[in-house]
Amino acid sequence: MLLVNTNYPVKRTFDSLFNDFFNTPATMLETGNGNRAYPKVNIHETEDAYHLELLAAGRNKEDFNVTAENGLLTIGYEKKEESKTEDYKTIRKEFTFSSFKRSFSIDENIDAENIQAKYENGVLKLYLPKKKVAKETPRHINIQ
Protein backbone atom coordinates (compact mmCIF):
# COMPACT_ATOMS: atom_id res chain seq x y z
CA MET A 1 0.00 0.00 0.00
CA LEU A 2 1.59 3.18 -1.11
CA LEU A 3 1.14 6.53 -2.73
CA VAL A 4 -1.02 6.17 -5.80
CA ASN A 5 0.36 8.91 -7.97
CA THR A 6 2.87 11.70 -7.70
CA ASN A 7 3.48 14.95 -9.51
CA TYR A 8 7.20 15.00 -8.71
CA PRO A 9 9.05 13.66 -11.79
CA VAL A 10 12.36 13.27 -9.92
CA LYS A 11 10.71 11.02 -7.36
CA ARG A 12 8.73 9.09 -9.95
CA THR A 13 11.49 6.50 -10.52
CA PHE A 14 11.94 5.90 -6.80
CA ASP A 15 8.19 5.77 -6.21
CA SER A 16 7.70 3.36 -9.10
CA LEU A 17 9.81 0.80 -7.24
CA PHE A 18 7.37 0.98 -4.33
CA ASN A 19 4.34 1.08 -6.61
CA ASP A 20 5.52 -2.05 -8.38
CA PHE A 21 6.13 -3.77 -5.05
CA PHE A 22 2.73 -2.86 -3.63
CA ASN A 23 0.87 -3.11 -6.98
CA THR A 24 -0.70 0.33 -6.54
CA PRO A 25 -3.28 1.59 -9.07
CA ALA A 26 -2.84 5.09 -10.49
CA THR A 27 -5.43 7.79 -9.83
CA MET A 28 -5.40 11.57 -10.08
CA LEU A 29 -6.52 14.02 -7.44
CA GLU A 30 -8.34 17.25 -8.12
CA THR A 31 -8.81 20.23 -5.84
CA GLY A 32 -11.71 22.62 -5.97
CA ASN A 33 -9.66 25.32 -7.73
CA GLY A 34 -8.57 23.13 -10.64
CA ASN A 35 -5.06 22.42 -9.37
CA ARG A 36 -3.82 18.95 -8.62
CA ALA A 37 -3.00 18.44 -4.96
CA TYR A 38 -1.22 15.64 -3.20
CA PRO A 39 -1.24 15.87 0.59
CA LYS A 40 2.15 14.75 1.88
CA VAL A 41 2.22 11.22 3.25
CA ASN A 42 4.75 9.22 5.26
CA ILE A 43 4.44 5.44 5.37
CA HIS A 44 6.35 3.39 7.91
CA GLU A 45 6.44 -0.37 8.36
CA THR A 46 6.95 -2.26 11.56
CA GLU A 47 6.87 -5.99 12.14
CA ASP A 48 3.16 -5.96 12.96
CA ALA A 49 1.71 -3.01 11.00
CA TYR A 50 2.01 -0.16 8.53
CA HIS A 51 1.77 3.38 9.88
CA LEU A 52 0.49 6.04 7.49
CA GLU A 53 0.76 9.75 8.35
CA LEU A 54 -0.99 12.35 6.19
CA LEU A 55 -0.04 16.00 6.69
CA ALA A 56 -3.29 17.94 7.01
CA ALA A 57 -2.76 20.88 9.34
CA GLY A 58 -5.56 23.30 10.13
CA ARG A 59 -8.42 20.91 9.43
CA ASN A 60 -11.05 19.37 11.68
CA LYS A 61 -11.10 15.61 12.18
CA GLU A 62 -14.87 15.59 11.54
CA ASP A 63 -14.26 16.71 7.94
CA PHE A 64 -12.18 13.62 7.04
CA ASN A 65 -13.67 10.51 5.50
CA VAL A 66 -11.59 7.32 5.67
CA THR A 67 -12.87 4.14 4.05
CA ALA A 68 -11.45 0.71 3.30
CA GLU A 69 -13.33 -1.15 0.58
CA ASN A 70 -12.41 -3.71 -2.09
CA GLY A 71 -8.70 -3.54 -1.31
CA LEU A 72 -8.59 0.26 -1.51
CA LEU A 73 -7.98 2.65 1.40
CA THR A 74 -9.37 6.09 0.61
CA ILE A 75 -8.75 9.23 2.65
CA GLY A 76 -10.87 12.23 1.75
CA TYR A 77 -11.34 15.73 3.07
CA GLU A 78 -14.37 17.79 2.13
CA LYS A 79 -13.88 21.54 2.35
CA LYS A 80 -16.69 23.22 4.25
CA GLU A 81 -17.95 26.58 3.05
CA GLU A 82 -16.64 29.42 5.18
CA SER A 83 -19.10 31.91 6.56
CA LYS A 84 -18.30 35.50 5.65
CA THR A 85 -18.52 38.21 8.25
CA GLU A 86 -19.20 41.84 7.61
CA ASP A 87 -17.18 42.89 10.69
CA TYR A 88 -13.83 42.99 8.89
CA LYS A 89 -12.31 43.06 5.44
CA THR A 90 -9.70 40.47 4.43
CA ILE A 91 -6.64 42.13 2.88
CA ARG A 92 -4.71 38.96 2.05
CA LYS A 93 -5.75 35.31 2.22
CA GLU A 94 -3.10 32.60 1.82
CA PHE A 95 -4.67 29.82 3.89
CA THR A 96 -6.37 27.34 1.61
CA PHE A 97 -8.12 24.19 2.65
CA SER A 98 -9.10 22.53 -0.59
CA SER A 99 -10.96 19.27 -0.69
CA PHE A 100 -8.90 16.23 -1.61
CA LYS A 101 -9.09 12.50 -1.98
CA ARG A 102 -6.14 10.14 -1.68
CA SER A 103 -6.28 6.39 -2.36
CA PHE A 104 -3.94 3.55 -1.52
CA SER A 105 -4.18 -0.11 -2.38
CA ILE A 106 -4.06 -2.45 0.57
CA ASP A 107 -2.99 -5.99 0.00
CA GLU A 108 -4.32 -9.17 1.54
CA ASN A 109 -1.75 -9.01 4.36
CA ILE A 110 -3.53 -5.99 5.92
CA ASP A 111 -6.25 -6.63 8.50
CA ALA A 112 -8.73 -4.12 7.02
CA GLU A 113 -11.30 -4.76 9.76
CA ASN A 114 -8.96 -3.35 12.42
CA ILE A 115 -7.59 -0.21 10.74
CA GLN A 116 -7.50 2.68 13.21
CA ALA A 117 -7.21 6.43 12.62
CA LYS A 118 -6.57 9.47 14.79
CA TYR A 119 -5.94 13.14 14.06
CA GLU A 120 -3.46 14.99 16.24
CA ASN A 121 -1.27 18.06 15.81
CA GLY A 122 -2.24 18.50 12.15
CA VAL A 123 -1.38 14.92 11.16
CA LEU A 124 -3.92 12.22 10.30
CA LYS A 125 -2.40 8.95 11.53
CA LEU A 126 -3.60 5.56 10.38
CA TYR A 127 -2.61 2.23 11.88
CA LEU A 128 -2.94 -0.65 9.42
CA PRO A 129 -2.29 -3.91 11.26
CA LYS A 130 -0.89 -6.88 9.41
CA LYS A 131 -2.79 -10.15 9.57
CA LYS A 132 -1.33 -12.72 11.88
CA VAL A 133 0.22 -15.44 9.78
CA ALA A 134 0.85 -18.75 11.40
CA LYS A 135 4.49 -19.62 10.88
CA GLU A 136 5.10 -23.19 9.96
CA THR A 137 7.81 -24.76 12.07
CA PRO A 138 10.12 -27.18 10.32
CA ARG A 139 9.71 -30.74 11.37
CA HIS A 140 12.09 -33.64 11.05
CA ILE A 141 10.91 -36.53 8.91
CA ASN A 142 12.28 -39.93 9.82
CA ILE A 143 13.49 -42.14 7.01
CA GLN A 144 12.48 -45.79 7.36
Side-chain angles (χ1 to χ4, degrees), residues 2 14 27 36 49 54 57 78 95 97 102-104 108-109 127 134-135 138:
L2 198 65
F14 182 72
T27 61
R36 303 229 184 269
L54 185 130
E78 187 64 35
F95 292 178
F97 299 105
R102 192 87 190 256
S103 296
F104 305 85
E108 63 277 354
N109 295 330
Y127 173 77
K135 293 183 179 178

Side-chain angles (χ1 to χ4, degrees), residues 20-130:
D20 290 344
F21 179 74
F22 288 106
N23 193 23
T24 305
T27 61
M28 298 301 284
L29 308 172
E30 191 74 33
T31 63
N33 61 6
N35 295 329
R36 303 229 184 269
Y38 300 91
K40 306 295 184 202
V41 174
N42 292 332
I43 300 174
H44 309 283
E45 181 179 8
T46 60
E47 188 175 313
D48 61 341
Y50 290 97
H51 302 268
L52 186 143
E53 302 169 329
L54 185 130
L55 184 60
R59 295 172 173 89
N60 296 318
K61 69 179 182 178
E62 295 82 16
D63 297 333
F64 287 100
N65 183 29
V66 180
T67 59
E69 183 178 15
N70 298 325
L72 199 63
L73 174 70
T74 304
I75 303 168
Y77 171 79
E78 187 64 35
K79 176 186 163 187
K80 303 291 187 213
E81 288 297 319
E82 299 174 6
S83 60
K84 296 187 179 199
T85 62
E86 300 296 324
D87 297 345
Y88 63 92
K89 178 175 137 182
T90 302
I91 305 300
R92 182 179 188 125
K93 183 175 180 179
E94 293 183 352
F95 292 178
T96 59
F97 299 105
S98 299
S99 300
F100 66 82
K101 187 179 281 189
R102 192 87 190 256
S103 296
F104 305 85
S105 65
I106 50 177
D107 65 20
E108 63 277 354
N109 295 330
I110 301 294
D111 184 2
E113 296 295 320
N114 292 308
I115 294 175
Q116 300 171 13
K118 66 180 175 178
Y119 182 69
E120 62 182 10
N121 299 325
V123 178
L124 179 64
K125 297 179 179 184
L126 281 87
Y127 173 77
L128 296 94
K130 295 179 182 177

